[in-house]
Amino acid sequence: MAIIVQKYGGSSVADADRIKNVAGRIGRTQERGDQVVAVVSAMGDTTDHLIELAHKISAAPAPREMDLLLSTGELVSCALVAMALQQGGRPAVSLSGGQAGIRTDAAHTRARISGLDPGRIHRELDQGNIVIVAGFQGVTDGADVTTLGRGASDLTAVALAIGLKAQRCEIYTDVEGIYTADPRLVPQARKLKEIGFEEMLELANYGAKMQPRSIELAAAYNMPVLVCSSFVEAPGTLIHGGTAMENRNKVAGVAADRNVAKITVLGVPDRPGIAASLFEPLAKVGVSVDTIVQNSSVERLTDLTFTVTRTDAKRALEVVEPVAKSIGAKGCVSAQDLAKVSVVGTGMQNAPGYAAAMFRALYEAGINIEMITTSEIRITCIVNEAKVPEAVRALHTAFQLDKE
Ligand code: ASP
Ligand code: MG
């Protein structure tokens, strides 16, 4: 008997009918003879509403209290799914993250999993129960409830799949799988049958709707992840570490991330230690800096531009402005309305011409490129946010992603 770990996202458990639908799916998986552990997210937009509520009470709610509050969202859906299964005559038990044995560090609201004790889950499974686990949460060694960061029910599911030595981790969501581009932007986008961990991680980091940490973890333990719809019966996309991927496009997909702001420090003196003095204080306040571009200097002065998420832009500017002044830079400017469009594919490695093809496609669509960054398997252009739909469509066509 194999163990299957499934995860159902917020939209899949958004109301009572959908919860019954999910219970039906979980039940049918068990009927096929497997032991099932199902991780659930909070119903619909519950987490967003809880965050709003907290901010009506306090401008800066304590992270520890925030975690106890947010953890309730997943507890609600978890208990309801267990009830729906029991109502259908199937033995089931709901467990909080802590009860399921998920241990974390004490970094409230963005805790990291430090260990997993699968004993309780195994006991429940051996007694014939379906186990429903509240996603996105764990507990510290001091028995405080933590959450693992937005979207982290995926991470819970992958971690449990690894800890329970499951055959695979199945992620049920409101789309049918991973597409060559967001189908809302590109009607011809195709669902991929499979994709490698590396490519999926780049797509997730650059805008695809999957939690990057969960892909990283799955890759580290070579745990295959199947992404499919909880609403329709259709084959999904298998994310895995295999290499049975010949005969396919060299570009796997196009991703867009609209949450981008840039900050430019003008007239920075060119001497050792300047970059460190700008970026250390940002790291200290927890602002993560993404693309960094610094030109070679002309007359020992250079401009230095970097991007952050729009949410971090204000804080980043507050930190950087005084430093810029103290090192004798000319000033700082920022822009909020930017986005990243990326093409990703392992096939681009050591193959010339992809960057040029991307720049030409954007040029022909009349789109100005603000910044460019690359990895071995990704090319990213930073463009005006309003241009995202056109940019994604132009790239999808240029790299012939609508063709099998
Ligand atoms: N409910 C949490 C969130 O909305 C976790 C999740 O959905 O995965 O971020
Ligand atoms: Mg959610």
Side-chain angles (χ1 to χ4, degrees), residues 7 41-42 47 74 136 150-154:
K7 179 256 171 176
S41 289
T47 309
E74 270 69 12
F136 165 66
R150 294 307 306 268
S153 295
D154 287 357

Side-chain angles (χ1 to χ4, degrees), residues 114-183:
S114 54
L116 177 73
D117 171 9
R120 174 77 187 267
I121 296 183
H122 279 304
R123 283 198 298 283
E124 298 291 351
L125 290 173
D126 291 344
Q127 284 167 25
N129 280 320
I130 294 173
V131 180
I132 315 299
V133 178
F136 165 66
Q137 57 182 273
V139 71
T140 64
D141 290 340
D144 275 331
V145 172
T146 50
T147 64
L148 309 173
R150 294 307 306 268
S153 295
D154 287 357
L155 185 67
T156 303
V158 171
L160 286 178
I162 293 165
L164 295 165
K165 301 191 169 41
Q167 201 173 56
R168 65 167 179 270
C169 179
E170 301 176 344
I171 298 209
Y172 289 89
T173 172
D174 51 6
V175 294
E176 282 182 34
I178 307 300
Y179 283 74
T180 50
D182 183 343

Side-chain angles (χ1 to χ4, degrees), residues 16-213:
D17 284 334
R18 289 186 181 186
I19 284 176
K20 290 179 194 166
N21 167 56
V22 161
R25 282 182 173 267
I26 296 171
R28 288 196 291 282
T29 310
Q30 193 200 33
E31 263 165 35
R32 291 201 294 267
D34 291 319
Q35 293 185 320
V36 192
V37 175
V39 174
V40 291
S41 289
M43 295 172 70
D45 298 328
T46 302
T47 309
D48 293 330
H49 293 314
L50 290 172
I51 292 171
E52 265 169 49
L53 190 56
H55 286 284
K56 280 186 191 157
I57 306 275
S58 160
R64 181 191 176 278
E65 313 312 325
M66 207 58 193
D67 272 354
L68 197 61
L69 177 72
L70 296 189
S71 70
T72 62
E74 270 69 12
L75 294 176
V76 169
S77 47
C78 174
L80 290 172
V81 171
M83 283 178 203
L85 283 160
Q86 291 163 0
Q87 177 66 26
R90 291 180 194 281
V93 62
S94 60
L95 299 177
S96 69
Q99 288 175 312
I102 297 170
R103 299 254 156 227
T104 74
D105 63 18
H108 283 288
T109 74
R110 52 191 163 85
R112 298 189 81 86
I113 298 177
S114 54
L116 177 73
D117 171 9
R120 174 77 187 267
I121 296 183
H122 279 304
R123 283 198 298 283
E124 298 291 351
L125 290 173
D126 291 344
Q127 284 167 25
N129 280 320
I130 294 173
V131 180
I132 315 299
V133 178
F136 165 66
Q137 57 182 273
V139 71
T140 64
D141 290 340
D144 275 331
V145 172
T146 50
T147 64
L148 309 173
R150 294 307 306 268
S153 295
D154 287 357
L155 185 67
T156 303
V158 171
L160 286 178
I162 293 165
L164 295 165
K165 301 191 169 41
Q167 201 173 56
R168 65 167 179 270
C169 179
E170 301 176 344
I171 298 209
Y172 289 89
T173 172
D174 51 6
V175 294
E176 282 182 34
I178 307 300
Y179 283 74
T180 50
D182 183 343
R184 286 167 305 182
L185 296 180
V186 187
Q188 317 87 289
R190 277 184 310 109
K191 183 170 60 180
L192 298 166
K193 287 193 189 71
E194 57 174 356
I195 185 167
F197 286 127
E198 253 189 305
E199 290 174 326
M200 189 63 233
L201 185 59
E202 291 274 15
L203 285 174
N205 271 321
Y206 285 82
K209 258 180 66 187
M210 282 232 47
Q211 203 236 13
R213 273 165 71 196

